Amino acid sequence: MWNIQNGGGKRIHGIVRALAEAGSDLCVLSEYNSTSLHQLIDALGNHGFNNILHTQPEGRQGGVLVAAKTPTQLGDIGDCPSPDRWLHVLVPTVDLEIGAAYIPNSERSRTEKFEYRQWLLHVGTDLVHRKAIICGDFNTGLPYVDEDGKTLVCAESMAQMLESGW
C-alpha cells in the first residue's frame, strides 16, 4: 500500500521501479488521479503489473488503484458513499479479498469522511470473517498510538475497526 500523493507526477517511474525492486506481485496505490492514470498504467505494465483495477476519480481528485502480476477481479462495491475511493478486489489464485480504501480527509468534508467510515465499519463486519485485507489511506489513526497527542478526526472509528476484529 502506497499513497503516491497527487497522482505521482514525475515520481511515477521511481515509484513503479521501487515496487518492482521490492519484488511486489500486487500493490495498492492511493491518491492517483485521472491526469496520471495512463502514464501510471504504462509504467506498471512495463514491470509486469498487467492486471489493473482502479476507481474513476474526477479531475485531480484522488482515487485507488490495484495492480497485480496475477489475475484479479472486481468485487462488489455495494453502496459505498464514495465509490471513487473504494475497490473490492478478488485475487482468485490465493483466495484473497482486498478492500482498498482512500478515506476522505476532514478538510474536504467531515460529513463525507464520517459517512465513509460508518460504511467501512459495516463492510468490515462482513469481510473480517473471510480471508481478506482492508488497507489504504485512512486519513486518521489512533491517538497516542499513531500520533503523540489526540488531534485525529474520526479516530474512534479506527478503534471500532480494531474492536470488530481487524
Side-chain angles (χ1 to χ4, degrees):
M1 171 52 227
W2 194 338
N3 179 329
I4 62 171
Q5 299 181 331
N6 299 313
K10 295 177 184 176
R11 298 172 287 113
I12 285 176
H13 292 287
I15 290 167
V16 174
R17 191 171 41 254
L19 292 168
E21 289 171 2
S24 301
D25 290 328
L26 184 142
C27 61
V28 176
L29 303 175
S30 69
E31 211 173 295
Y32 93 87
N33 60 48
S34 60
T35 59
S36 65
L37 179 61
H38 295 295
Q39 184 182 8
L40 185 57
I41 288 174
D42 288 345
L44 288 163
N46 289 337
H47 289 279
F49 294 95
N50 296 311
N51 300 284
I52 297 174
L53 297 169
H54 58 86
T55 59
Q56 302 288 332
E58 294 181 17
R60 297 196 56 83
Q61 181 175 314
V64 184
L65 180 145
V66 175
K69 294 181 178 179
T70 58
T72 57
Q73 300 171 341
L74 186 61
D76 182 24
I77 292 175
D79 60 347
C80 181
S82 300
D84 56 326
R85 294 173 170 270
W86 172 260
L87 277 178
H88 184 175
V89 176
L90 310 174
V91 187
T93 56
V94 291
D95 188 33
L96 177 68
E97 296 179 62
I98 299 171
Y102 175 39
I103 297 178
N105 60 34
S106 57
E107 290 78 32
R108 181 171 158 194
S109 168
R110 283 182 183 248
T111 302
E112 183 182 10
K113 184 172 186 169
F114 178 78
E115 288 173 355
Y116 188 119
R117 288 195 160 283
Q118 292 304 308
W119 176 84
L120 186 57
L121 282 167
H122 173 73
V123 168
T125 58
D126 289 336
L127 291 176
V128 77
H129 301 292
R130 304 197 300 248
K131 189 175 174 185
I133 297 169
I134 295 178
C135 62
D137 182 353
F138 294 97
N139 272 311
T140 196
L142 295 172
Y144 308 107
V145 174
D146 297 315
E147 66 167 344
D148 291 334
K150 189 177 179 179
T151 63
L152 297 168
V153 176
C154 294
E156 65 282 351
S157 65
M158 292 297 287
Q160 290 171 323
M161 287 292 285
L162 291 174
E163 290 168 8
S164 72
W166 285 100

